[in-house]
């Protein structure tokens, strides 16, 4: 059994090795005829991809890597397949079309085997083995396609989080985060971190968290907001919460949090007015002097 | 595919530090800080893990009579992280519920050590008995 | 240099101490002793602790800081903690430690400015306990 497997493997290596030019040419013809990849991938690129795949396949077949899971275990073949999948996916080739292209390379190889292997039994074994290898390869293109997508989704998710929590400097020593949309725990955490980081970087004495655009908050988010206020105080700055809707006020009240310690204003404009008064009181004397004098 | 992941999972590097007395506290903090930097933790996550380690290492030599800290890099993608194991052969914690509640303390600190450390990490496991001593395993993931 | 290896400077009626990047338990205790002696000896009205460089405050260090504030207040001096880094602030809040009774400022400069104004009702401790 093992001997037959080994013979089949050697036979594929022999035939593919001897006729690689024909295999590549047949595959290119098939690809140029196929609607999905036609046009998207240039002729020169197709040839390069085909040659890389075929030579990596040969390398894997002649290597000591066991035939079970050959594609996953042979590093060059694996990277050739995933590389093809990533490159084609980037230029808009569908996952199905990529898998189909890999299958079509199997067809090219099988056609040559049919011509070049007279021994029927050996041909059958070799073709079966070929199918197994290419099935694995096609599955791998699918997996790496999905992985690539997943990575893009995660990156965009992170970018979206950053965009949706901008810390803006409204006045000397006054920062604000206008929050819009539903706040979940993860976003609340990011808001907290970027606001506190901003306070440190700008030496801002007052931070305004405006939640006019937040329809509702859950317990965890309300906790995060209160924690942000507490952390702000530890850093030596003050925090103003503005634009609290009635539902949110109820939520905070239900949590039993003592609001007397927190400065609140109904609108961002009111909060800014309050903040400007606060920083004027606190501004270091040095700074105030140099501003009123023309010559420092 | 999946077997390659399992293979790398076992390769997480492990280092161990003895905890005998207060002098080992700074060394432990340094080692954890270095590990968080290497693992790619953000500044806030670094500080949280170092602080949690500081609480547990202090408990280890104050209440447990010393032991060791094991730092383990968890590498299988997509989740990278750090796992710290702090163990001692001490008398164990009598009233665990109370020890995990803020304000309870039989030694130094504000009594926020154990409960506080738990809030600073993603996973927290505690095993304690008069025979086995106390072992705390904490894990924090990157991101 | 003081016994605790944390330098304490005297600026008029204000004592100013700059803490390093780490604070071990022994140094913290020595420093608290040294500071209370100096507050009593000099009759200082305020203490500013510059913690800009300090990158970890755990429950032990927090307890010492609260003790320093309480002790100074009993001796008639206000304590301002200046320049706490944001990861330290987040961590303390999550630990459930609000440093009751301790005043805070963004920097030493802000601390001195805060101290130059008389104690007002608006002035209040830096943290409330939030959980």
């Amino acid at each position: 059994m093992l001997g037959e497997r080994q013979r089949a493997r050697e036979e594929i290596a022999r035939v593919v090795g001897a006729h690689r030019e024909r295999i590549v040419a047949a595959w290119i013809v098939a690809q140029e005829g196929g609607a999905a990849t036609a046009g998207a991938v240039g002729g020169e690129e197709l040839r390069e991809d085909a040659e890389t795949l075929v030579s990596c396949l040969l390398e894997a077949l002649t290597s000591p890597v066991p035939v079970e899971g050959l594609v996953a275990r042979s590093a060059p073949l694996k990277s050739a397949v995933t590389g093809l999948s990533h490159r084609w996916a980037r230029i808009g080739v569908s996952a199905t079309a990529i898998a189909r292209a890999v299958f079509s390379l199997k067809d090219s190889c099988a056609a040559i085997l049919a011509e070049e292997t007279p021994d029927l039994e050996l041909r059958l074994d070799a073709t079966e083995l070929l199918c197994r290898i290419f099935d694995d390869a096609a599955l791998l293109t699918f997996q790496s396609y999905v992985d690539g997508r997943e990575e893009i989704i995660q990156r965009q998710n992170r970018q979206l989080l950053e965009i949706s929590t901008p810390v803006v400097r409204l006045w000397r020593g006054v920062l604000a985060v206008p929050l819009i949309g539903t706040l979940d725990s993860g976003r609340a955490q990011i808001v907290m971190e970027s606001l506190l980081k901003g306070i440190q970087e700008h030496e801002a004495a007052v931070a305004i968290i405006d939640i006019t655009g937040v329809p509702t908050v859950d317990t965890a988010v309300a906790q995060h907001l209160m924690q942000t206020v507490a952390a702000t105080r530890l850093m030596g700055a003050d925090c103003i919460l503005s634009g609290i809707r009635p539902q949110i006020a109820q939520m905070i009240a239900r949590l039993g949090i003592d609001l007397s310690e927190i400065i609140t204003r109904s609108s961002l404009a009111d909060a800014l007015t309050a903040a400007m008064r606060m920083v004027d009181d606190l501004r270091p004397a040095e700074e105030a002097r140099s501003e009123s004098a023309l010559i420092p | 595919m999946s077997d390659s992941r399992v293979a790398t999972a076992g390769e997480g590097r492990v280092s161990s530090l003895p905890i005998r007395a207060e002098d080992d506290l700074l060394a432990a903090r340094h080692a954890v800080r270095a590990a968080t930097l290497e693992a790619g933790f953000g500044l806030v996550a670094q500080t949280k893990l170092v602080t949690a380690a500081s609480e547990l290492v202090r408990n280890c030599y104050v209440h447990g009579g010393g032991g060791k800290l094991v730092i383990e890099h968890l590498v299988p993608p997509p989740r990278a992280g750090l796992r710290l194991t702090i163990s001692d052969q001490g008398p164990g914690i009598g009233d665990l519920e109370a020890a995990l509640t803020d304000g309870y303390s039989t030694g130094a600190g504000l009594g926020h050590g154990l409960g506080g450390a738990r809030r600073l990490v993603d996973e927290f496991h505690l095993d304690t008995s008069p025979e086995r001593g106390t072992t705390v395993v904490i894990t924090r993931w990157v991101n | 240099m003081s016994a605790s290896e944390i330098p304490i400077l005297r600026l008029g009626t204000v004592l100013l101490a700059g803490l390093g990047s780490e604070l071990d338990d022994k140094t913290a205790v020595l420093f608290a002793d040294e500071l209370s002696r100096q507050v009593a000896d000099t009759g200082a009205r305020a203490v500013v602790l510059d913690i800009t460089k300090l990158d970890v405050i755990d429950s032990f260090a927090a307890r010492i800081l609260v003790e320093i504030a309480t002790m100074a207040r009993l001796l008639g001096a206000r304590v301002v903690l200046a320049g706490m880094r944001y990861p330290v602030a987040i961590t303390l809040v999550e630990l459930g430690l609000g440093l009751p009774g301790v005043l805070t400022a963004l920097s030493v400069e802000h601390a001195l400015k805060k101290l130059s104004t008389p104690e007002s009702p608006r002035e209040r401790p830096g943290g409330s306990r939030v959980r």
Side-chain angles (χ1 to χ4, degrees), chain A residues 122-175:
Chain A
L122 181 59
R123 192 202 299 172
L124 199 66
D125 286 346
T127 312
E128 195 204 315
L129 185 59
L130 197 66
C131 283
R132 205 156 340 134
I133 293 169
F134 276 95
D135 286 353
D136 282 352
L139 278 178
L140 182 58
T141 63
F142 230 95
Q143 184 60 48
S144 54
Y145 189 92
V146 173
D147 287 350
R149 281 291 150 110
E150 196 62 32
E151 204 184 297
I152 292 171
I153 292 169
Q154 284 191 359
R155 194 170 54 229
Q156 286 177 342
N157 215 350
R158 277 198 300 276
Q159 286 167 348
L160 206 63
L161 271 176
E162 279 161 24
I163 295 168
S164 61
T165 53
V167 176
V168 288
R169 191 167 168 254
L170 288 184
W171 193 256
R172 194 189 316 101
V174 181
L175 294 183

Side-chain angles (χ1 to χ4, degrees), chain B residues 95-135:
Chain B
D95 188 348
L96 193 56
E97 273 302 306
L100 283 166
T101 310
D102 292 336
Y104 176 90
S105 179
T106 53
L110 276 175
H112 289 75
L114 217 46
R118 179 158 70 166
R119 278 197 293 275
L120 295 176
V121 296
D122 295 319
E123 287 175 23
F124 182 97
H125 297 286
L126 192 144
D127 178 71
T128 184
S129 83
E131 297 81 31
R132 293 189 304 273
T134 303
T135 299

Side-chain angles (χ1 to χ4, degrees), chain A residues 40-214:
Chain A
V41 187
E44 201 45 47
E45 218 177 310
L46 269 179
R47 171 167 294 278
E48 243 172 67
D49 284 333
E51 276 168 359
T52 314
L53 273 182
V54 170
S55 57
C56 289
L57 174 66
L58 270 175
E59 199 182 325
L61 283 169
T62 51
S63 72
V65 177
V67 74
E68 285 303 327
L70 186 72
V71 181
R73 290 187 195 176
S74 162
L77 184 56
K78 186 178 176 184
S79 79
V81 173
T82 53
L84 176 99
S85 177
H86 283 154
R87 257 177 296 119
W88 286 21
R90 254 202 304 277
I91 51 176
V93 181
S94 75
T96 317
I98 296 170
R100 202 171 279 149
V102 171
F103 283 135
S104 131
L105 185 58
K106 172 182 72 179
D107 293 344
S108 314
C109 294
I112 307 277
L113 265 179
E115 287 173 26
E116 302 295 330
T117 310
D119 183 336
L120 254 182
E121 210 168 309
L122 181 59
R123 192 202 299 172
L124 199 66
D125 286 346
T127 312
E128 195 204 315
L129 185 59
L130 197 66
C131 283
R132 205 156 340 134
I133 293 169
F134 276 95
D135 286 353
D136 282 352
L139 278 178
L140 182 58
T141 63
F142 230 95
Q143 184 60 48
S144 54
Y145 189 92
V146 173
D147 287 350
R149 281 291 150 110
E150 196 62 32
E151 204 184 297
I152 292 171
I153 292 169
Q154 284 191 359
R155 194 170 54 229
Q156 286 177 342
N157 215 350
R158 277 198 300 276
Q159 286 167 348
L160 206 63
L161 271 176
E162 279 161 24
I163 295 168
S164 61
T165 53
V167 176
V168 288
R169 191 167 168 254
L170 288 184
W171 193 256
R172 194 189 316 101
V174 181
L175 294 183
V177 251
L179 296 175
I180 291 158
T182 308
L183 267 181
D184 59 20
S185 194
R187 208 179 138 207
Q189 186 99 36
I190 290 178
V191 171
M192 175 168 173
E193 281 194 32
S194 47
L195 180 64
L196 297 178
K197 193 174 173 205
I199 290 172
Q200 183 176 309
E201 276 167 6
H202 296 277
E203 277 201 17
V206 185
I208 302 169
I209 302 178
D210 181 70
I211 55 170
T212 313
V214 179

Side-chain angles (χ1 to χ4, degrees), chain B residues 36-83:
Chain B
T36 58
L37 276 171
E38 197 186 322
F41 279 96
L43 211 49
V44 174
Q46 281 175 33
T47 308
K48 285 183 180 175
L49 195 62
V50 174
T51 308
S54 184
E55 303 289 354
L56 298 175
V57 167
R58 184 181 294 106
N59 279 346
C60 179
Y61 67 76
V62 171
H63 303 299
K68 65 176 178 179
L69 160 72
V70 175
I71 303 173
E72 190 183 344
H73 284 266
L74 305 175
V75 286
R79 292 199 109 183
L82 276 179
R83 174 165 296 155

Side-chain angles (χ1 to χ4, degrees), chain A residues 278-289:
Chain A
M278 285 157 74
V279 287
D280 264 351
D281 288 350
L282 271 176
R283 200 153 18 125
E286 197 60 34
E287 201 181 309
R289 261 203 308 282

Side-chain angles (χ1 to χ4, degrees), chain C:
Chain C
M1 273 306 187
S2 61
S4 65
E5 290 175 21
I6 295 172
I8 301 173
L9 285 169
R10 189 179 164 187
L11 302 166
T13 58
V14 178
L15 292 180
L16 173 64
L19 276 62
S21 67
E22 31 207 2
L23 185 61
D24 63 78
D25 299 0
K26 213 177 291 169
T27 310
V29 174
L30 282 174
F31 173 65
D33 290 350
E34 171 79 17
L35 195 60
S36 55
R37 213 180 49 240
Q38 289 213 23
V39 171
D41 288 354
T42 60
R45 301 305 311 276
V47 175
V48 176
L49 300 181
D50 182 6
I51 54 163
T52 314
K53 289 195 194 119
L54 195 58
D55 55 20
V56 174
I57 297 182
D58 63 6
S59 62
F60 189 89
R63 186 183 73 154
I64 298 289
L65 291 173
V66 173
E67 274 180 16
I68 289 174
T70 312
M71 168 274 296
R73 173 140 315 257
L74 290 172
L75 296 172
R78 292 191 279 173
V79 172
V80 186
L81 220 48
M84 188 187 291
R85 304 281 93 183
Y86 76 94
V88 176
I90 292 176
T91 305
L92 275 180
V93 168
E94 224 149 291
L95 272 173
L97 300 171
L99 303 189
V102 185
L103 299 174
T104 55
L106 288 164
S107 63
V108 171
E109 195 185 2
H110 276 91
L112 294 176
K113 172 73 187 171
K114 267 190 182 174
L115 288 169
S116 71
T117 57
E119 248 174 299
S120 70
R122 255 200 51 211
E123 181 185 288
R124 63 188 187 305
S128 55
R129 287 168 68 110
V130 172
R131 183 134 327 124

